[in-house]
Amino acid sequence: MGKPLLLVGSVTYAMKSRDILFKRGIKAYVERIPPSAGTGCGYGVYVPQGADEAETVLRENNIKLLGRVEEESS
């Protein structure tokens, strides 16, 4: 199983997302990802556990998610 990353449109949204999730008791970390047309600025939010719940929380807080990927673990 890969590393779940929630893709957002900017580093500002990534940091805001991380803060919202931490307040809800969900560990989340801002991570740099290779920028591309689908990933925007190249930042995502890594959620080690509870990615489905995290996605729901962010949508409830009006955070626009560009997608979700499972990055290969190293």
Side-chain angles (χ1 to χ4, degrees), residues 2 5 10 18 21 23 28 30 34 37 55 62 67:
L5 284 168
S10 70
R18 175 200 60 201
L21 294 172
K23 286 179 184 175
V30 174
E55 199 171 336
N62 299 316

Side-chain angles (χ1 to χ4, degrees), residues 8 10-23 28-31 43-45 58 63:
V8 292
S10 70
V11 67
T12 303
Y13 273 112
M15 293 187 320
K16 184 176 180 178
S17 298
R18 175 200 60 201
D19 295 344
I20 289 169
L21 294 172
F22 270 141
K23 286 179 184 175
Y29 306 93
V30 174
E31 295 230 346
Y43 282 90
V45 181
L58 294 178
I63 301 293

Side-chain angles (χ1 to χ4, degrees), residues 30-52:
V30 174
E31 295 230 346
R32 184 93 169 109
I33 56 175
S36 71
T39 62
C41 68
Y43 282 90
V45 181
Y46 165 50
V47 183
Q49 295 180 343
D52 292 331

Side-chain angles (χ1 to χ4, degrees), residues 21 24 26 49-58 68:
L21 294 172
R24 295 288 288 272
I26 301 170
Q49 295 180 343
D52 292 331
E53 180 185 359
E55 199 171 336
T56 301
V57 168
L58 294 178
R68 178 173 163 179

